[in-house]
Amino acid sequence: MKIAIVYGSTGGNAEDVAKKIQSNLKVDAELLDIGSTDADTINSFDALILGSSTWYDGELQDDWDAFDMDSLELKGKKVALFGVGDQQEYGDEFCNALGILYEVCVQKGAQIYGDKWSTEGYDFEASNAVVDGAFVGLAIDQENEEDLTDERVEKWVKNLEESSFFS
Ligand SMILES: Cc1cc2nc3c(=O)[nH]c(=O)nc-3n(C[C@H](O)[C@H](O)[C@H](O)COP(=O)(O)O)c2cc1C
């Protein structure tokens, strides 16, 4: 099973989180920067972990924004998501890019894993990455809670392993 972690990152935070996810996995996964890969490459994987930091007014990171989402073939594909944001400065749209990725993936028929991630322990006002009271993927705040990142990544990857994402 071929797995890729595809991230969009402007200042390196989402990239760091992608690398942490990669090093926690018990299986090999290729790391791809959405700014320097193409749809054919992404479509060649069996399962995807997609992540973006949030920018501007709760938007996708620039490289994701420039990417043609229509070119992704996600029907029936296993997809897990992560987002990186800042709860203190942008507490009204915390990790909105995670919610945007989720909507695209659901619309395209992906099977979402790693969702129902608890909002407990976070401190924000609103996020479109919260559906039915839980995040639709791993939410990370490198600006204010970097000390919690390793623990969060570890737990989220463990949840993924306990699901059928890797089988
Ligand atoms: C201009 C600007 C706008 C931002 N907008 C948001 C936002 O709407 N929601 C959020 O959660 N974080 C927001 N952030 C915080 C970034 O997502 C955060 O700094 C993140 O760690 C950047 O990750 P990157 O280095 O991978 O791009 C914003 C940051 C900047 C500088």
Side-chain angles (χ1 to χ4, degrees), residues 8 21 54 65 80 112 126 129 131-132 160:
I21 292 171
T54 298
D65 204 37
I112 306 295
V131 172
D132 295 334
L160 263 192

Side-chain angles (χ1 to χ4, degrees), residues 9-14 53-56 58 84-86 90 93-95 143:
S9 179
T10 300
N13 285 336
S53 50
T54 298
W55 280 82
Y56 312 113
V84 179
D86 178 339
Y90 304 94
E93 44 209 2
F94 176 53
C95 280
E143 310 294 349

Side-chain angles (χ1 to χ4, degrees), residues 8 10 52-66 69 83-85 90 93-101 128:
T10 300
S52 175
S53 50
T54 298
W55 280 82
Y56 312 113
D57 266 337
E59 288 161 43
L60 282 174
Q61 186 271 343
D62 277 348
D63 299 310
W64 268 116
D65 204 37
M69 295 287 197
V84 179
Y90 304 94
E93 44 209 2
F94 176 53
C95 280
N96 269 22
L98 170 59
I100 297 171
L101 285 180
N128 69 1

Side-chain angles (χ1 to χ4, degrees), residues 6-8 32-43 48 50 60-74 101 104 108:
V6 189
Y7 65 87
L32 299 172
D33 181 341
I34 191 67
S36 54
T37 190
D38 55 48
D40 284 349
T41 305
I42 298 172
N43 290 336
L48 299 168
L50 308 178
L60 282 174
Q61 186 271 343
D62 277 348
D63 299 310
W64 268 116
D65 204 37
F67 187 81
D68 175 18
M69 295 287 197
D70 278 345
S71 60
L72 289 182
E73 290 161 7
L74 298 178
L101 285 180
V104 170
K108 293 180 83 62

